[in-house]
Amino acid sequence: MEVTSIQNGIIIDHVPAGTALKVLEYLKIDPAKTKLALIMNTDSHMFGTKDIIKIESEEEAETIDLDVLGLVARTATVGIVRGGKIVEKKQPTLPEHVVNIIKCVNPRCVTTTEPAVQMFHLVHSDRQEYRCDYCDEEAEF
């Protein structure tokens, strides 16, 4: 299988194997409307296997949300490509606070009955545990 290089866009590398579609969903990237290559379960020296997402789009490179990426794919790296060369590398970090990314699953939470902003805070970074700011329910991914 051959996947050619991209000229302008982003390469999201070191995505945990089998989670690339989930990453695209959380980043709100529509595969039907975006020129991209999805490489799943390829060999990785660091992790055994990994996914890679290549997106040929200058607009996507500017709007990628590193907080969201850090939340759903902590090990990922983002390479910004211009003129066929990687000009910048970014490493997402686990955000302390997330807004409107995760939805509270507690049926008694105010966010499930009222139109409210979904806010979660990081409790344990080792376990990647987030809790709702309103009801303290643990987030489910």
Side-chain angles (χ1 to χ4, degrees):
M1 172 175 32
E2 182 180 346
V3 178
T4 60
S5 61
I6 60 175
Q7 290 303 305
N8 295 299
I10 59 172
I11 299 172
I12 305 172
D13 198 0
H14 302 106
V15 176
T19 63
L21 293 173
K22 181 179 177 181
V23 168
L24 289 174
E25 179 184 331
Y26 273 91
L27 291 174
K28 295 181 173 70
I29 297 172
D30 185 358
K33 297 178 181 174
T34 307
K35 187 176 178 182
L36 62 86
L38 197 59
I39 305 160
M40 298 183 77
N41 295 311
T42 191
D43 293 331
S44 168
H45 295 296
M46 291 170 51
F47 304 109
T49 57
K50 67 179 178 179
D51 292 353
I52 303 170
I53 304 168
K54 292 183 173 188
I55 302 171
E56 180 87 40
S57 168
E58 288 187 48
E59 295 81 34
E60 291 295 340
E62 302 302 320
T63 62
I64 193 85
D65 190 338
L66 291 177
D67 283 346
V68 172
L69 192 57
L71 183 66
V72 295
R74 254 170 60 171
T75 58
T77 57
V78 178
I80 308 296
V81 180
R82 291 201 178 88
K85 297 194 184 316
I86 295 178
V87 296
E88 184 181 357
K89 277 202 168 198
K90 296 180 180 182
Q91 182 75 39
T93 57
L94 199 57
E96 291 291 322
H97 228 116
V98 292
V99 179
N100 287 334
I101 298 170
I102 311 168
K103 292 186 178 183
C104 188
V105 295
N106 180 356
R108 293 176 301 281
C109 182
V110 67
T111 62
T112 58
T113 58
E114 301 290 328
V117 176
Q118 299 277 330
M119 298 188 301
F120 287 79
H121 58 278
L122 182 62
V123 179
H124 297 287
S125 60
D126 294 342
R127 296 193 316 250
Q128 195 174 341
E129 180 183 333
Y130 283 87
R131 293 200 169 266
C132 178
D133 282 1
Y134 299 101
C135 69
D136 208 39
E137 182 76 19
E138 185 175 349
E140 292 180 15
F141 294 92

